[in-house]
Amino acid sequence: MKHSLEERMDIGRRMYLHEITYKEAMEIYGLSESCAHKYMTDYKKAQGIPLANTVPKMKNPAVLKSLSSPDIDTYMAMSKEELINELIIAKANELRAKKGYEVKGAGANKEYIILNNKNTK
């Protein structure tokens, strides 16, 4: 390998801490994109940091929109009850998207938006 284990861990740490981006690491150290990604993954594994789950590919853009999440800092600041509520909301939005609609607003101001022109029955 071109870099020693310590160098790979340092490169992965710098990318993980956002000191450098993937592109900067690729330019500075002459890495490929997959190699840079692997260095950061190896760093996370060595430090016991959980790897991010991949978002399943779905054709419906509303489902993808509902699966996009705020920053991890937002979730870290939430209490257990708030996290559970966010999970329930995300699951409800996912199920609605599968049925072909989404809901805008809340309470008396709810608006149901049909995502496709097919009959739901």
Side-chain angles (χ1 to χ4, degrees):
M1 292 215 116
K2 190 174 183 180
H3 302 283
S4 69
L5 178 62
E6 292 81 21
E7 290 174 326
R8 292 192 307 258
M9 290 295 133
D10 185 53
I11 295 168
R13 179 190 59 79
R14 291 184 68 201
M15 287 187 294
Y16 178 74
L17 296 176
H18 302 290
E19 293 176 10
I20 58 173
T21 63
Y22 279 102
K23 287 187 178 185
E24 289 171 345
M26 290 165 52
E27 291 172 6
I28 294 169
Y29 299 104
L31 305 173
S32 66
E33 185 175 353
S34 62
C35 190
H37 180 72
K38 183 171 179 358
Y39 285 3
M40 190 161 89
T41 303
D42 291 344
Y43 172 76
K44 287 180 179 180
K45 286 180 182 177
Q47 299 301 316
I49 300 168
L51 302 176
N53 294 332
T54 57
V55 176
K57 293 184 180 180
M58 296 182 190
K59 293 180 182 177
N60 196 335
V63 173
L64 292 177
K65 184 174 74 173
S66 70
L67 290 177
S68 64
S69 60
D71 295 342
I72 189 72
D73 297 332
T74 306
Y75 289 129
M76 295 297 284
M78 289 183 179
S79 68
K80 183 177 180 179
E81 291 80 19
E82 290 172 327
L83 287 170
I84 292 171
N85 287 338
E86 285 294 318
L87 183 62
I88 291 169
I89 290 169
K91 186 67 175 175
N93 287 338
E94 179 183 348
L95 293 173
R96 287 178 182 144
K98 284 182 181 177
K99 289 196 171 221
Y101 73 96
E102 67 179 76
V103 178
K104 296 278 185 185
N109 298 329
K110 272 187 188 175
E111 180 183 353
Y112 294 91
I113 300 169
I114 297 174
L115 300 174
N116 57 23
N117 294 333
K118 294 179 183 176
N119 188 351
T120 57
K121 291 188 177 182

